[in-house]
mmCIF file of all heavy atoms in Angstrom:
data_model
loop_
_atom_site.group_PDB
_atom_site.id
_atom_site.type_symbol
_atom_site.label_atom_id
_atom_site.label_comp_id
_atom_site.label_asym_id
_atom_site.label_seq_id
_atom_site.Cartn_x
_atom_site.Cartn_y
_atom_site.Cartn_z
ATOM 1 N N PHE A 92 101.237 119.637 153.663
ATOM 2 C CA PHE A 92 102.200 119.950 152.640
ATOM 3 C C PHE A 92 102.489 118.738 151.768
ATOM 4 O O PHE A 92 102.214 117.607 152.121
ATOM 5 C CB PHE A 92 103.546 120.446 153.230
ATOM 6 C CG PHE A 92 104.410 119.422 153.988
ATOM 7 C CD1 PHE A 92 105.291 118.550 153.277
ATOM 8 C CD2 PHE A 92 104.339 119.240 155.389
ATOM 9 C CE1 PHE A 92 106.033 117.672 153.895
ATOM 10 C CE2 PHE A 92 105.122 118.338 156.043
ATOM 11 C CZ PHE A 92 105.987 117.525 155.307
ATOM 12 N N ALA A 93 102.983 119.030 150.565
ATOM 13 C CA ALA A 93 103.386 118.031 149.579
ATOM 14 C C ALA A 93 104.845 118.285 149.226
ATOM 15 O O ALA A 93 105.277 119.410 149.104
ATOM 16 C CB ALA A 93 102.522 118.064 148.310
ATOM 17 N N LEU A 94 105.612 117.157 149.003
ATOM 18 C CA LEU A 94 107.051 117.283 148.787
ATOM 19 C C LEU A 94 107.500 116.454 147.597
ATOM 20 O O LEU A 94 107.069 115.329 147.434
ATOM 21 C CB LEU A 94 107.840 116.839 150.062
ATOM 22 C CG LEU A 94 109.362 116.899 150.015
ATOM 23 C CD1 LEU A 94 109.923 117.332 151.346
ATOM 24 C CD2 LEU A 94 109.953 115.539 149.585
ATOM 25 N N VAL A 95 108.388 117.047 146.780
ATOM 26 C CA VAL A 95 109.005 116.276 145.683
ATOM 27 C C VAL A 95 110.521 116.367 145.932
ATOM 28 O O VAL A 95 111.063 117.285 146.527
ATOM 29 C CB VAL A 95 108.654 116.860 144.313
ATOM 30 C CG1 VAL A 95 107.121 116.687 144.021
ATOM 31 C CG2 VAL A 95 109.051 118.303 144.111
ATOM 32 N N HIS A 96 111.221 115.400 145.381
ATOM 33 C CA HIS A 96 112.664 115.190 145.734
ATOM 34 C C HIS A 96 113.366 114.641 144.480
ATOM 35 O O HIS A 96 112.897 113.728 143.787
ATOM 36 C CB HIS A 96 112.734 114.150 146.871
ATOM 37 C CG HIS A 96 114.123 113.674 147.177
ATOM 38 N ND1 HIS A 96 114.400 112.355 147.550
ATOM 39 C CD2 HIS A 96 115.272 114.324 147.151
ATOM 40 C CE1 HIS A 96 115.689 112.249 147.759
ATOM 41 N NE2 HIS A 96 116.296 113.463 147.538
ATOM 42 N N ASN A 97 114.506 115.237 144.227
ATOM 43 C CA ASN A 97 115.391 114.767 143.191
ATOM 44 C C ASN A 97 116.762 114.495 143.786
ATOM 45 O O ASN A 97 117.416 115.435 144.188
ATOM 46 C CB ASN A 97 115.475 115.798 142.022
ATOM 47 C CG ASN A 97 116.395 115.312 140.872
ATOM 48 O OD1 ASN A 97 116.786 114.200 140.884
ATOM 49 N ND2 ASN A 97 116.576 116.226 139.910
ATOM 50 N N GLY A 98 117.141 113.252 143.797
ATOM 51 C CA GLY A 98 118.476 112.941 144.401
ATOM 52 C C GLY A 98 118.456 111.628 145.180
ATOM 53 O O GLY A 98 117.460 110.835 145.079
ATOM 54 N N ILE A 99 119.504 111.388 145.907
ATOM 55 C CA ILE A 99 119.629 110.200 146.738
ATOM 56 C C ILE A 99 120.164 110.632 148.107
ATOM 57 O O ILE A 99 121.229 111.278 148.145
ATOM 58 C CB ILE A 99 120.527 109.118 146.173
ATOM 59 C CG1 ILE A 99 119.996 108.615 144.804
ATOM 60 C CG2 ILE A 99 120.660 107.938 147.122
ATOM 61 C CD1 ILE A 99 120.918 107.569 144.149
ATOM 62 N N VAL A 100 119.480 110.253 149.153
ATOM 63 C CA VAL A 100 119.990 110.525 150.510
ATOM 64 C C VAL A 100 120.940 109.374 150.838
ATOM 65 O O VAL A 100 120.551 108.277 151.187
ATOM 66 C CB VAL A 100 118.866 110.590 151.564
ATOM 67 C CG1 VAL A 100 119.425 110.824 152.987
ATOM 68 C CG2 VAL A 100 117.837 111.713 151.206
ATOM 69 N N THR A 101 122.237 109.651 150.739
ATOM 70 C CA THR A 101 123.226 108.598 150.877
ATOM 71 C C THR A 101 123.396 108.112 152.315
ATOM 72 O O THR A 101 123.899 107.011 152.568
ATOM 73 C CB THR A 101 124.571 109.020 150.317
ATOM 74 O OG1 THR A 101 124.934 110.243 151.002
ATOM 75 C CG2 THR A 101 124.477 109.262 148.829
ATOM 76 N N ASN A 102 122.895 108.881 153.281
ATOM 77 C CA ASN A 102 122.943 108.493 154.688
ATOM 78 C C ASN A 102 121.563 108.021 155.215
ATOM 79 O O ASN A 102 121.241 108.147 156.364
ATOM 80 C CB ASN A 102 123.521 109.529 155.590
ATOM 81 C CG ASN A 102 122.713 110.864 155.539
ATOM 82 O OD1 ASN A 102 122.008 111.115 154.573
ATOM 83 N ND2 ASN A 102 122.855 111.689 156.544
ATOM 84 N N PHE A 103 120.736 107.488 154.272
ATOM 85 C CA PHE A 103 119.370 107.102 154.566
ATOM 86 C C PHE A 103 119.353 106.106 155.762
ATOM 87 O O PHE A 103 118.554 106.247 156.665
ATOM 88 C CB PHE A 103 118.781 106.434 153.320
ATOM 89 C CG PHE A 103 117.437 105.761 153.559
ATOM 90 C CD1 PHE A 103 116.306 106.474 153.648
ATOM 91 C CD2 PHE A 103 117.396 104.383 153.620
ATOM 92 C CE1 PHE A 103 115.060 105.807 153.870
ATOM 93 C CE2 PHE A 103 116.153 103.710 153.798
ATOM 94 C CZ PHE A 103 115.050 104.424 153.977
ATOM 95 N N ASP A 104 120.207 105.108 155.687
ATOM 96 C CA ASP A 104 120.162 104.072 156.716
ATOM 97 C C ASP A 104 120.459 104.676 158.124
ATOM 98 O O ASP A 104 119.881 104.204 159.121
ATOM 99 C CB ASP A 104 121.158 102.952 156.425
ATOM 100 C CG ASP A 104 120.733 102.152 155.219
ATOM 101 O OD1 ASP A 104 119.565 102.149 154.890
ATOM 102 O OD2 ASP A 104 121.581 101.556 154.592
ATOM 103 N N ARG A 105 121.308 105.666 158.215
ATOM 104 C CA ARG A 105 121.682 106.254 159.451
ATOM 105 C C ARG A 105 120.533 107.182 160.020
ATOM 106 O O ARG A 105 120.441 107.342 161.202
ATOM 107 C CB ARG A 105 122.977 107.040 159.373
ATOM 108 C CG ARG A 105 124.193 106.110 159.071
ATOM 109 C CD ARG A 105 125.517 106.844 159.360
ATOM 110 N NE ARG A 105 125.750 108.002 158.490
ATOM 111 C CZ ARG A 105 126.244 107.928 157.277
ATOM 112 N NH1 ARG A 105 126.560 106.780 156.750
ATOM 113 N NH2 ARG A 105 126.377 109.049 156.602
ATOM 114 N N LEU A 106 119.844 107.774 159.096
ATOM 115 C CA LEU A 106 118.790 108.701 159.524
ATOM 116 C C LEU A 106 117.472 107.999 159.829
ATOM 117 O O LEU A 106 116.609 108.483 160.533
ATOM 118 C CB LEU A 106 118.500 109.695 158.432
ATOM 119 C CG LEU A 106 119.601 110.752 158.135
ATOM 120 C CD1 LEU A 106 119.211 111.646 156.979
ATOM 121 C CD2 LEU A 106 119.861 111.610 159.336
ATOM 122 N N LEU A 107 117.320 106.751 159.325
ATOM 123 C CA LEU A 107 116.061 106.017 159.468
ATOM 124 C C LEU A 107 115.886 105.591 160.886
ATOM 125 O O LEU A 107 116.739 104.938 161.489
ATOM 126 C CB LEU A 107 116.081 104.784 158.546
ATOM 127 C CG LEU A 107 114.713 104.068 158.422
ATOM 128 C CD1 LEU A 107 113.735 104.926 157.672
ATOM 129 C CD2 LEU A 107 114.955 102.747 157.665
#
Side-chain angles (χ1 to χ4, degrees):
F92 72 83
L94 179 144
V95 297
H96 171 217
N97 182 5
I99 298 177
V100 179
T101 55
N102 59 339
F103 170 78
D104 291 338
R105 294 196 298 275
L106 292 176
L107 191 68

